[in-house]
Amino acid sequence: MNYRIHPLSENAITLYFEQKISPDINDLVIASCLWIEENSFPGFIEVVPAYASLTIFYDLIELINQGYKSPFLFVKSKMQEIPFESLKAGNKPKNLIEIPVEYSGEDLQIVGKHSRLSEKEIIKLHTEPEYRVYMMGFLPGFAYMGGLNQKLATPRKKKPRLKVPAGSVGIAGAQTGIYPLESPGGWQLIGLTDKKLFDPSDRKLSLLSTGDYVKFKAV
């Protein structure tokens, strides 16, 4: 198994797999995160998955107080214990979530001009795939999803908007995503959903999680 381990900060360390968008690599990231959580160590705070990497945050002071001269090397040794070859990442049941979308986004024409497709073709191509949630970030409940038809890939805006409405569905490069909260943003907006992506009163907090799949439905 090829991977690299590098410090991210004085209290964080990142493990990198092959840097590409791949369901198999992302499965391995998720399985590694689960293994770390189940085999935590002194000073462990949390592990955060990304597309093809994972980052462990740890309590630097606690490890120093426990006598570890190099907390980084200690945590690195724990990461090297992960049984990558035997992890069964694909055993997680597939969780498919349907998201209703009103395709009336103000950037539909921009995407159409870039892709040379009609609005009807954009909607058809955007609702066809099952999108994988590769990572969470940027905002609470914001899911970075891969699987976008390459014909729809459109660059982000050069100048981001100051306010993007909650529920906005957008495209950025080869990714698609949904803004769970009103925020600044530079993705090309193609639609709007009334589905609640982030709920602080809910125990789960976020509707979507890494490894989930999303199917958009035009309404």
Side-chain angles (χ1 to χ4, degrees):
M1 173 57 60
N2 294 321
Y3 62 86
R4 297 176 290 112
I5 298 176
H6 295 288
L8 180 64
S9 68
E10 62 182 7
N11 68 330
I13 182 171
T14 300
L15 185 153
Y16 299 91
F17 295 107
E18 185 179 358
Q19 294 299 288
K20 66 178 183 179
I21 299 177
S22 160
D24 290 338
I25 292 177
N26 195 239
D27 276 343
L28 186 56
V29 169
I30 295 169
S32 298
C33 287
L34 292 174
W35 188 91
I36 291 168
E37 290 174 341
E38 293 170 357
N39 297 271
S40 60
F41 50 84
F44 173 78
I45 296 176
E46 67 173 334
V47 57
V48 179
Y51 272 89
S53 65
L54 57 94
T55 297
I56 292 179
F57 293 87
Y58 54 90
D59 189 324
L60 179 69
I61 302 303
E62 180 180 341
L63 290 176
I64 290 175
N65 288 339
Q66 289 195 29
Y68 293 100
K69 294 182 179 180
S70 174
F72 166 75
L73 291 178
F74 167 71
V75 179
K76 180 179 180 180
S77 70
K78 291 300 178 181
M79 297 179 87
Q80 291 171 328
E81 293 177 5
I82 302 172
F84 300 111
E85 301 298 340
S86 61
L87 289 177
K88 300 296 182 183
N91 287 345
K92 179 183 175 182
K94 184 176 182 179
N95 186 30
L96 180 63
I97 299 163
E98 186 175 277
I99 305 286
V101 178
E102 179 185 343
Y103 284 93
S104 57
E106 55 192 283
D107 296 326
L108 267 174
Q109 289 185 351
I110 293 175
V111 175
K113 184 177 180 180
H114 183 82
S115 63
R116 298 182 181 180
L117 296 170
S118 67
E119 290 189 7
K120 185 177 290 187
E121 289 171 323
I122 291 171
I123 295 169
K124 180 178 183 296
L125 291 177
H126 193 258
T127 53
E128 281 181 348
E130 291 182 356
Y131 297 94
R132 181 188 176 96
V133 176
Y134 278 93
M135 63 176 283
M136 306 294 294
F138 171 54
L139 290 170
F142 188 96
Y144 288 87
M145 291 180 256
L148 183 73
N149 190 303
Q150 285 300 312
K151 292 180 180 178
L152 296 178
T154 307
R156 291 175 173 86
K157 290 188 171 298
K158 293 181 179 179
K159 185 178 180 180
R161 291 181 175 87
L162 295 179
K163 287 186 179 181
V164 174
S168 294
V169 178
I171 288 173
Q175 302 174 108
T176 191
I178 310 166
Y179 286 82
L181 306 168
E182 181 183 281
S183 76
W187 291 39
Q188 306 289 355
L189 306 182
I190 61 171
L192 191 69
T193 181
D194 58 4
K195 202 84 167 177
K196 199 165 188 176
L197 278 296
F198 175 70
D199 185 356
S201 66
D202 190 292
R203 184 178 180 183
K204 189 184 175 187
L205 296 179
S206 175
L207 175 67
L208 305 177
S209 302
T210 306
D212 286 346
Y213 283 83
V214 170
K215 179 77 172 177
F216 292 111
K217 180 181 179 181
V219 295

